[in-house]
Amino acid sequence: VDFNRALPRFVKVLPVDYKRVLEEEAAKAAAAKRAEYNLPVVPGAKHREKAAKLQDIEEAFGDKAADKKRALVLDKTKGFMKYGRRSEKYRSVSTRIEDWAELSFRLNEDELKYQSARCMDCGVPFCQSETGCPISNIIPKWNELVFQNQWKDALNRLLMTNNFPEFTGRVCPAPCEGACVLGINE
C-alpha cells in the first residue's frame, strides 16, 4: 500500500481534554513570547466591550446574595407534567467538520435543572433496574442532587457505580429514560 496516497484520507482525531491541553500550552508559549519582547499591551475589542457594559464600579463584582435570589425556581413535585424533555441539539455536519468541538450543543445548567425536575421520584424506579441503567446508577438520587445544584455530590453518587461517568455520560443512549414510568404515556 502506498502510504503517501492514502495519507490525505486520514482524519486527525483529538480527545477533548488533549485538545484543551494543546491549546493551553500554545497560550503559555504565546505569553512567554510576548513577555520576551516586553511590548505594551494594547486593549482589544473584548476589553472595550466589557468596559462599555459596566455602568458602575459595583457591576464589576458579583453579588452572590442577589444571584441566589434570581436563581431558577422550579416545581419538582409536578415537573414531569409541567416541563418538556430537554435534549442536546446536534450541530450541523458542515460546521462539525470545520473544528474539533463537541458534536452537540451541551445543555446549560438551567436546562439540566429543568431536565432533572422531570424525575417523578416514583415508588419503583425502573430507570435503575435491569431494563434501565445497565450499570445500576441510582438515577433518582442523582437527579435530585443535580436539581439541588450539588454537582460534587452528584459526581460522587455516579462514581459509586460507574468508574467513568465523564465518558459514559457522552455515549450513553439513556435506556433509563425508556424504562421510566413516565415513558408509559410519553
Side-chain angles (χ1 to χ4, degrees):
V1 175
D2 184 9
F3 183 73
N4 290 329
R5 280 189 16 205
L7 185 60
R9 292 185 289 193
F10 281 86
V11 176
K12 185 176 183 180
V13 177
L14 289 176
V16 175
D17 291 330
Y18 182 65
K19 182 182 177 214
R20 180 184 47 79
V21 169
L22 289 178
E23 289 170 348
E24 287 173 359
E25 292 298 320
K28 285 180 187 175
K33 190 173 185 179
R34 280 193 304 271
E36 182 180 328
Y37 293 112
N38 199 16
L39 297 174
V41 177
V42 178
K46 289 182 182 178
H47 299 292
R48 283 191 291 267
E49 286 175 15
K50 186 175 180 181
K53 290 179 184 176
L54 295 178
Q55 300 288 328
D56 258 337
I57 188 76
E58 290 86 10
E59 292 178 5
F61 303 100
D63 184 5
K64 291 184 180 179
D67 290 343
K68 283 185 180 179
K69 288 180 185 174
R70 288 189 293 262
L72 187 62
V73 178
L74 297 174
D75 181 12
K76 177 80 167 117
T77 55
K78 295 182 182 177
F80 64 96
M81 293 189 295
K82 290 184 175 181
Y83 313 123
R85 184 179 184 279
R86 304 292 206 269
S87 59
E88 295 179 349
K89 306 290 187 261
Y90 282 100
R91 296 170 54 224
S92 69
V93 175
S94 58
T95 57
R96 290 194 323 238
I97 62 173
E98 299 294 325
D99 59 31
W100 298 102
E102 296 284 342
L103 292 175
S104 60
F105 296 108
R106 309 301 292 183
L107 296 178
N108 63 33
E109 283 191 32
D110 286 345
E111 291 169 323
L112 289 171
K113 195 168 180 177
Y114 271 107
Q115 186 65 11
S116 65
R118 297 185 75 237
C119 184
M120 295 175 19
D121 262 344
C122 56
V124 181
F126 294 112
C127 58
Q128 63 191 36
S129 68
E130 64 273 356
T131 59
C133 185
I135 55 176
S136 301
N137 281 330
I138 303 168
I139 308 293
K141 181 64 177 168
W142 182 80
N143 273 332
E144 181 65 28
L145 293 169
V146 168
F147 181 76
Q148 296 172 356
N149 285 331
Q150 297 177 3
W151 294 98
K152 187 169 176 81
D153 293 336
L155 173 64
N156 289 333
R157 173 64 61 181
L158 284 180
L159 288 172
M160 288 179 182
T161 55
N162 183 357
N163 292 332
F164 302 107
E166 68 281 358
F167 171 73
T168 53
R170 292 179 185 269
V171 298
C172 179
C176 57
E177 289 187 4
C180 179
V181 174
L182 186 59
I184 294 171
N185 64 354
E186 285 192 24

